[in-house]
Amino acid sequence: MKPIRTVALLALISLLSHEQADAGAPQVRAQAPGFYRMMLGHVEITALLDGTHPFPVHDVMTRNETMPGGERKAVKLAESYPGKAEALLAGSDLSAPVEGSINAFLVNTGEKLILIDSGAGSLYGACCGHLLENLRTSGYKPEQIDEIYLTHLHADHVGGIAPQGKPAFPNAIIRVNQKDLDYWLDAKNENEAPKFLKPMFEGDRASLKPYLEAGRLRPFSEGQELSPGIRAIPTPGHTPGHTSYEISSEGQTLLVWGDLVHVAPIQFPDPAVTVAYDNDPISAEAERMGVFAQSARTASWIAAAHIAFPGIGHVRSVDGRFEWLPANYTTVLNPTRD
Ligand SMILES: [Zn+2]
Ligand SMILES: [Zn+2]
């Protein structure tokens, strides 16, 4: 029989440990690091998350409608089809404002390290600008990046090259479509642009400045092969020089398509839905439809800036309607063939 003091001590220890167990471990409340890797033939692709933010569906989404005179024009979706956005989101168990991803993609060809888009840097606030930490966690350093290909000059794609105006990639050359550069660096366009676009012009100037001054900004003309196996494909509408990048290796292709889609659960079932930021909504819809149809036909991989991270998957056509098929998660990056 144990002495009474020992029994009391054991009871106390048991009580304390029970209380600790009841309190539970503190919750971590942080997401996993934002990178996801896949192989495309010999090319290594790393999706990098810059952050997520609530996408203002009701304020931003518009739809191309045919006017009485036959002309097509973008009209606020909430006005032309009240309840449509809500119904489409509900079909994916979502509601507005839906959390949207900002994705960028790192391409390691074995010869060169190329970053496609750069996130928002300091231009979107605390939600975003996490690309650099995710790049480092993924095993690379900013100084290793040789080239940065921008899909277009909106803040959430260009801001990451120079957060707070300081260049984040000391050895990189910036490539961007000449048409976007001409549009966004023109004071006349800035004066004529709607008010909500003004910060984009300011953000572009601040982000591009250090690279321009260092002679490391190299615009390209359309349809050019920028690197062996990587082609710039014009997909204008969202901005005048909006560009998608097609990467090919070993018979596989991946299209980094930029902002052809902002809210997948709405724009796959209804590609006529546009956004207020579209410079030319009619062309934006035409490009989206064209790329959807082609991608469904060729079964090429897609890497999307604003589809839920990692934004990698395929487009499928079912009875004339388009669907997004996210990539199946895998840890196998070097498949061996028997
Ligand atoms: Zn954009
Ligand atoms: Zn964007």
Side-chain angles (χ1 to χ4, degrees), residues 252-254 292-302 313-316:
Q252 294 186 51
T253 60
L254 176 141
F292 277 4
Q294 195 187 352
S295 308
R297 205 169 45 243
T298 60
S300 72
W301 283 102
I302 301 295
H314 290 96
V315 177
R316 176 167 71 178

PDB file of all heavy atoms in Angstrom, residues 252-254 292-302 313-316:
ATOM      1  N   GLN A 252       4.835  17.555 -74.144  1.00  0.00           N
ATOM      2  CA  GLN A 252       3.808  18.099 -73.245  1.00  0.00           C
ATOM      3  C   GLN A 252       3.807  19.624 -73.332  1.00  0.00           C
ATOM      4  O   GLN A 252       4.853  20.227 -73.550  1.00  0.00           O
ATOM      5  CB  GLN A 252       4.104  17.716 -71.794  1.00  0.00           C
ATOM      6  CG  GLN A 252       3.999  16.232 -71.516  1.00  0.00           C
ATOM      7  CD  GLN A 252       4.160  15.979 -70.018  1.00  0.00           C
ATOM      8  OE1 GLN A 252       3.492  16.588 -69.198  1.00  0.00           O
ATOM      9  NE2 GLN A 252       5.049  15.079 -69.679  1.00  0.00           N
ATOM     10  N   THR A 253       2.635  20.215 -73.139  1.00  0.00           N
ATOM     11  CA  THR A 253       2.584  21.680 -73.123  1.00  0.00           C
ATOM     12  C   THR A 253       1.829  22.168 -71.888  1.00  0.00           C
ATOM     13  O   THR A 253       0.923  21.500 -71.389  1.00  0.00           O
ATOM     14  CB  THR A 253       1.887  22.281 -74.364  1.00  0.00           C
ATOM     15  OG1 THR A 253       0.562  21.791 -74.417  1.00  0.00           O
ATOM     16  CG2 THR A 253       2.599  21.976 -75.652  1.00  0.00           C
ATOM     17  N   LEU A 254       2.226  23.343 -71.445  1.00  0.00           N
ATOM     18  CA  LEU A 254       1.540  24.016 -70.342  1.00  0.00           C
ATOM     19  C   LEU A 254       1.367  25.469 -70.749  1.00  0.00           C
ATOM     20  O   LEU A 254       2.314  26.110 -71.205  1.00  0.00           O
ATOM     21  CB  LEU A 254       2.355  23.912 -69.052  1.00  0.00           C
ATOM     22  CG  LEU A 254       1.801  24.668 -67.833  1.00  0.00           C
ATOM     23  CD1 LEU A 254       1.990  23.836 -66.567  1.00  0.00           C
ATOM     24  CD2 LEU A 254       2.501  25.995 -67.628  1.00  0.00           C
ATOM     25  N   PHE A 292     -10.262  28.394 -74.008  1.00  0.00           N
ATOM     26  CA  PHE A 292     -11.012  27.271 -73.408  1.00  0.00           C
ATOM     27  C   PHE A 292     -11.161  26.150 -74.440  1.00  0.00           C
ATOM     28  O   PHE A 292     -10.876  24.984 -74.166  1.00  0.00           O
ATOM     29  CB  PHE A 292     -12.422  27.719 -72.989  1.00  0.00           C
ATOM     30  CG  PHE A 292     -12.518  28.393 -71.645  1.00  0.00           C
ATOM     31  CD1 PHE A 292     -11.394  28.660 -70.884  1.00  0.00           C
ATOM     32  CD2 PHE A 292     -13.754  28.775 -71.137  1.00  0.00           C
ATOM     33  CE1 PHE A 292     -11.492  29.291 -69.638  1.00  0.00           C
ATOM     34  CE2 PHE A 292     -13.880  29.394 -69.897  1.00  0.00           C
ATOM     35  CZ  PHE A 292     -12.745  29.651 -69.156  1.00  0.00           C
ATOM     36  N   ALA A 293     -11.649  26.525 -75.626  1.00  0.00           N
ATOM     37  CA  ALA A 293     -11.937  25.517 -76.653  1.00  0.00           C
ATOM     38  C   ALA A 293     -10.655  24.794 -77.069  1.00  0.00           C
ATOM     39  O   ALA A 293     -10.625  23.557 -77.164  1.00  0.00           O
ATOM     40  CB  ALA A 293     -12.593  26.183 -77.862  1.00  0.00           C
ATOM     41  N   GLN A 294      -9.593  25.577 -77.278  1.00  0.00           N
ATOM     42  CA  GLN A 294      -8.330  24.965 -77.715  1.00  0.00           C
ATOM     43  C   GLN A 294      -7.723  24.076 -76.626  1.00  0.00           C
ATOM     44  O   GLN A 294      -7.245  22.975 -76.906  1.00  0.00           O
ATOM     45  CB  GLN A 294      -7.340  26.047 -78.131  1.00  0.00           C
ATOM     46  CG  GLN A 294      -6.179  25.453 -78.915  1.00  0.00           C
ATOM     47  CD  GLN A 294      -5.089  26.460 -79.191  1.00  0.00           C
ATOM     48  OE1 GLN A 294      -5.244  27.646 -78.920  1.00  0.00           O
ATOM     49  NE2 GLN A 294      -3.979  25.987 -79.718  1.00  0.00           N
ATOM     50  N   SER A 295      -7.776  24.550 -75.391  1.00  0.00           N
ATOM     51  CA  SER A 295      -7.189  23.774 -74.292  1.00  0.00           C
ATOM     52  C   SER A 295      -7.952  22.473 -74.070  1.00  0.00           C
ATOM     53  O   SER A 295      -7.364  21.435 -73.771  1.00  0.00           O
ATOM     54  CB  SER A 295      -7.203  24.577 -72.992  1.00  0.00           C
ATOM     55  OG  SER A 295      -6.622  25.829 -73.190  1.00  0.00           O
ATOM     56  N   ALA A 296      -9.283  22.535 -74.217  1.00  0.00           N
ATOM     57  CA  ALA A 296     -10.097  21.328 -74.051  1.00  0.00           C
ATOM     58  C   ALA A 296      -9.762  20.324 -75.165  1.00  0.00           C
ATOM     59  O   ALA A 296      -9.688  19.115 -74.935  1.00  0.00           O
ATOM     60  CB  ALA A 296     -11.576  21.682 -74.083  1.00  0.00           C
ATOM     61  N   ARG A 297      -9.517  20.874 -76.369  1.00  0.00           N
ATOM     62  CA  ARG A 297      -9.222  20.016 -77.533  1.00  0.00           C
ATOM     63  C   ARG A 297      -7.837  19.378 -77.402  1.00  0.00           C
ATOM     64  O   ARG A 297      -7.663  18.195 -77.647  1.00  0.00           O
ATOM     65  CB  ARG A 297      -9.302  20.880 -78.798  1.00  0.00           C
ATOM     66  CG  ARG A 297      -9.613  20.112 -80.059  1.00  0.00           C
ATOM     67  CD  ARG A 297      -9.936  21.021 -81.240  1.00  0.00           C
ATOM     68  NE  ARG A 297      -9.034  22.154 -81.401  1.00  0.00           N
ATOM     69  CZ  ARG A 297      -9.416  23.425 -81.308  1.00  0.00           C
ATOM     70  NH1 ARG A 297     -10.658  23.731 -81.049  1.00  0.00           N
ATOM     71  NH2 ARG A 297      -8.536  24.398 -81.477  1.00  0.00           N
ATOM     72  N   THR A 298      -6.842  20.176 -76.991  1.00  0.00           N
ATOM     73  CA  THR A 298      -5.467  19.672 -76.984  1.00  0.00           C
ATOM     74  C   THR A 298      -5.096  19.008 -75.659  1.00  0.00           C
ATOM     75  O   THR A 298      -4.060  18.366 -75.555  1.00  0.00           O
ATOM     76  CB  THR A 298      -4.459  20.822 -77.223  1.00  0.00           C
ATOM     77  OG1 THR A 298      -4.625  21.788 -76.174  1.00  0.00           O
ATOM     78  CG2 THR A 298      -4.696  21.492 -78.565  1.00  0.00           C
ATOM     79  N   ALA A 299      -5.946  19.190 -74.635  1.00  0.00           N
ATOM     80  CA  ALA A 299      -5.684  18.624 -73.298  1.00  0.00           C
ATOM     81  C   ALA A 299      -4.358  19.110 -72.713  1.00  0.00           C
ATOM     82  O   ALA A 299      -3.707  18.403 -71.943  1.00  0.00           O
ATOM     83  CB  ALA A 299      -5.724  17.101 -73.327  1.00  0.00           C
ATOM     84  N   SER A 300      -3.948  20.329 -73.088  1.00  0.00           N
ATOM     85  CA  SER A 300      -2.688  20.852 -72.534  1.00  0.00           C
ATOM     86  C   SER A 300      -2.904  21.258 -71.063  1.00  0.00           C
ATOM     87  O   SER A 300      -4.021  21.542 -70.638  1.00  0.00           O
ATOM     88  CB  SER A 300      -2.205  22.049 -73.351  1.00  0.00           C
ATOM     89  OG  SER A 300      -3.025  23.158 -73.120  1.00  0.00           O
ATOM     90  N   TRP A 301      -1.807  21.290 -70.321  1.00  0.00           N
ATOM     91  CA  TRP A 301      -1.868  21.769 -68.945  1.00  0.00           C
ATOM     92  C   TRP A 301      -2.124  23.278 -68.947  1.00  0.00           C
ATOM     93  O   TRP A 301      -1.668  23.984 -69.845  1.00  0.00           O
ATOM     94  CB  TRP A 301      -0.534  21.528 -68.234  1.00  0.00           C
ATOM     95  CG  TRP A 301      -0.300  20.131 -67.799  1.00  0.00           C
ATOM     96  CD1 TRP A 301       0.490  19.200 -68.422  1.00  0.00           C
ATOM     97  CD2 TRP A 301      -0.816  19.498 -66.623  1.00  0.00           C
ATOM     98  NE1 TRP A 301       0.481  18.032 -67.711  1.00  0.00           N
ATOM     99  CE2 TRP A 301      -0.315  18.183 -66.602  1.00  0.00           C
ATOM    100  CE3 TRP A 301      -1.666  19.910 -65.598  1.00  0.00           C
ATOM    101  CZ2 TRP A 301      -0.624  17.279 -65.589  1.00  0.00           C
ATOM    102  CZ3 TRP A 301      -1.977  19.015 -64.590  1.00  0.00           C
ATOM    103  CH2 TRP A 301      -1.462  17.719 -64.591  1.00  0.00           C
ATOM    104  N   ILE A 302      -2.814  23.751 -67.918  1.00  0.00           N
ATOM    105  CA  ILE A 302      -3.040  25.186 -67.741  1.00  0.00           C
ATOM    106  C   ILE A 302      -2.467  25.593 -66.386  1.00  0.00           C
ATOM    107  O   ILE A 302      -2.603  24.855 -65.401  1.00  0.00           O
ATOM    108  CB  ILE A 302      -4.560  25.513 -67.739  1.00  0.00           C
ATOM    109  CG1 ILE A 302      -5.223  25.081 -69.054  1.00  0.00           C
ATOM    110  CG2 ILE A 302      -4.800  26.996 -67.449  1.00  0.00           C
ATOM    111  CD1 ILE A 302      -4.749  25.815 -70.278  1.00  0.00           C
ATOM    112  N   GLY A 313      -4.126  22.786 -63.803  1.00  0.00           N
ATOM    113  CA  GLY A 313      -5.135  21.783 -64.129  1.00  0.00           C
ATOM    114  C   GLY A 313      -5.395  21.736 -65.620  1.00  0.00           C
ATOM    115  O   GLY A 313      -4.546  22.131 -66.431  1.00  0.00           O
ATOM    116  N   HIS A 314      -6.581  21.246 -65.984  1.00  0.00           N
ATOM    117  CA  HIS A 314      -6.982  21.139 -67.390  1.00  0.00           C
ATOM    118  C   HIS A 314      -8.367  21.742 -67.587  1.00  0.00           C
ATOM    119  O   HIS A 314      -9.136  21.863 -66.636  1.00  0.00           O
ATOM    120  CB  HIS A 314      -7.041  19.662 -67.816  1.00  0.00           C
ATOM    121  CG  HIS A 314      -5.703  19.009 -67.899  1.00  0.00           C
ATOM    122  ND1 HIS A 314      -5.180  18.268 -66.867  1.00  0.00           N
ATOM    123  CD2 HIS A 314      -4.781  18.990 -68.887  1.00  0.00           C
ATOM    124  CE1 HIS A 314      -3.989  17.814 -67.227  1.00  0.00           C
ATOM    125  NE2 HIS A 314      -3.716  18.234 -68.439  1.00  0.00           N
ATOM    126  N   VAL A 315      -8.668  22.071 -68.834  1.00  0.00           N
ATOM    127  CA  VAL A 315     -10.024  22.505 -69.201  1.00  0.00           C
ATOM    128  C   VAL A 315     -10.697  21.326 -69.902  1.00  0.00           C
ATOM    129  O   VAL A 315     -10.094  20.679 -70.755  1.00  0.00           O
ATOM    130  CB  VAL A 315      -9.984  23.713 -70.155  1.00  0.00           C
ATOM    131  CG1 VAL A 315     -11.396  24.106 -70.585  1.00  0.00           C
ATOM    132  CG2 VAL A 315      -9.291  24.894 -69.492  1.00  0.00           C
ATOM    133  N   ARG A 316     -11.946  21.064 -69.513  1.00  0.00           N
ATOM    134  CA  ARG A 316     -12.694  19.984 -70.158  1.00  0.00           C
ATOM    135  C   ARG A 316     -13.988  20.567 -70.731  1.00  0.00           C
ATOM    136  O   ARG A 316     -14.581  21.463 -70.131  1.00  0.00           O
ATOM    137  CB  ARG A 316     -13.013  18.916 -69.115  1.00  0.00           C
ATOM    138  CG  ARG A 316     -13.872  17.784 -69.647  1.00  0.00           C
ATOM    139  CD  ARG A 316     -13.902  16.625 -68.706  1.00  0.00           C
ATOM    140  NE  ARG A 316     -14.676  16.926 -67.496  1.00  0.00           N
ATOM    141  CZ  ARG A 316     -14.890  16.039 -66.529  1.00  0.00           C
ATOM    142  NH1 ARG A 316     -14.366  14.841 -66.615  1.00  0.00           N
ATOM    143  NH2 ARG A 316     -15.595  16.370 -65.467  1.00  0.00           N
TER     144      ARG A 316
END
